[in-house]
Amino acid sequence: MNQNLQVPSQASEKFSKLPLSHGKRTRLWRLLYGSGPKNGSLLVLPLDQGLEHGPTDFFPHPPAVDPSYQFEMAAAGGFSAIALGIGLAEKYMTEYCGRVPLILKLNGKTNIPSDAEATSPLFASVEDAVRLGAEAVGYTMYVGSPRQGDEFRQFEKVRQDCERYGMPLVVWSYPRGSAVNAKGGTNTLYAQDYAARVALEMGADLVKLHEPNDSVANVPAPYDKLQEDSAARCARVVRSAGRTMVLFSGGEKNDDDAAVLRKVEHYMQSGATGVMFGRNMWLRPFDQAVALVRQVHGIMAKYPR
């Protein structure tokens, strides 16, 4: 076995210095050092697209509509965790308990209404996560939405419960809404950098972000004058997240395996803790996806955190 993939005798100095309760520290250690690459980096398989996007995401690869497909992929590929909602966790997790670490998503929405006033209501609790043996909870925050006041108040209770139960908190920090669109759009450096900082300020342990693009049209100063390449943009949002660990989204499916691997290398070089790969994995044939995940492991092994 590759020694880089073995469970280390101790966590990194950076992890050891994080101000965490014993419960959070234990659960995060199991995610970062007890599963996945096992070197302080994190490789997550998300399966919240059925709620967020509807069944159409599964059309290109019909076997993927069965959640058992993703659970078996998470187990066979050695993912750090699978992230999904309470319905899937309760109905499909049983045979994978102890084999596949769980990040329980607590809130979500459909894409049927307009995102102009996006909000993501709770449908599960931190107590549910404890009952289901989760290692962390996930919470979607729509940064900049006209309804962000409701989002902040809802988040307060989740954060307090996470502290009470010793549960790590992963924030899907997503710029959304008419005001964000008026200031350049959701994936600009301005929007993603702001989303990273919001997650830190709000108390997230980890944050999921999208790679910022190079558009400066309509973005506020001084971002409209920044001329940075992709590496610098990604590194900037990692810095803005401070001691909140960053996971970048793998995005939509890319049929070019080499391009997927380059993306992983790029994110890890930027200082990210890891990657969330959903459609880029479970829209592939099973054996091909597992082989690709093993190559991802090889890259992440070079970047201990």
Side-chain angles (χ1 to χ4, degrees), residues 20-236:
L20 300 167
S21 67
H22 288 186
K24 279 195 174 187
R25 188 173 299 278
T26 298
R27 290 182 171 97
L28 273 176
W29 194 97
R30 289 197 293 249
L31 285 174
L32 294 166
Y33 299 98
S35 60
K38 300 180 181 178
N39 66 342
S41 60
L42 199 62
L43 179 59
V44 178
L45 184 70
L47 183 57
D48 55 351
Q49 291 85 354
L51 172 64
E52 299 287 340
H53 307 155
T56 54
D57 269 14
F58 307 112
F59 278 33
H61 187 46
V65 75
D66 180 358
S68 297
Y69 186 85
Q70 286 86 358
F71 271 100
E72 191 54 37
M73 182 175 292
F79 278 83
S80 305
I82 191 169
L84 37 73
I86 190 165
L88 300 186
E90 289 185 332
K91 290 177 171 62
Y92 292 89
M93 189 78 194
T94 303
E95 62 188 285
Y96 297 94
C97 290
R99 295 173 55 203
V100 177
L102 171 64
I103 298 174
L104 185 70
K105 287 294 299 291
L106 302 185
N107 64 338
K109 69 171 185 61
T110 71
N111 69 358
I112 299 171
S114 167
D115 271 353
E117 297 191 18
T119 188
S120 186
L122 285 169
F123 55 78
S125 67
V126 178
E127 187 173 353
D128 286 322
V130 173
R131 174 176 57 84
L132 290 166
E135 301 293 5
V137 297
Y139 183 94
T140 297
M141 172 74 72
Y142 289 127
V143 176
S145 168
R147 298 188 64 182
Q148 74 175 13
D150 297 334
E151 300 263 311
F152 285 4
R153 284 186 289 274
Q154 180 176 260
F155 181 83
E156 178 188 16
K157 175 66 164 54
V158 171
R159 182 189 55 77
Q160 290 172 342
D161 284 348
C162 282
E163 292 303 318
R164 183 155 62 97
Y165 287 107
M167 183 66 67
L169 176 54
V170 187
V171 171
W172 274 239
S173 197
Y174 286 176
R176 288 288 189 277
S178 52
V180 174
N181 293 337
K183 293 182 177 181
T186 61
N187 287 334
T188 61
L189 176 58
Y190 161 75
Q192 292 299 316
D193 206 27
Y194 210 144
R197 187 68 186 198
V198 167
L200 172 64
E201 300 274 351
M202 298 289 285
D205 298 300
L206 300 102
V207 59
K208 181 194 178 188
L209 300 167
H210 287 87
E211 180 180 346
N213 62 33
D214 60 358
S215 175
V216 295
N218 300 318
V219 301
Y223 291 90
D224 60 338
K225 299 296 192 295
L226 289 179
Q227 300 291 326
E228 296 181 337
D229 62 16
S230 179
R233 293 194 299 271
C234 288
R236 181 180 291 276

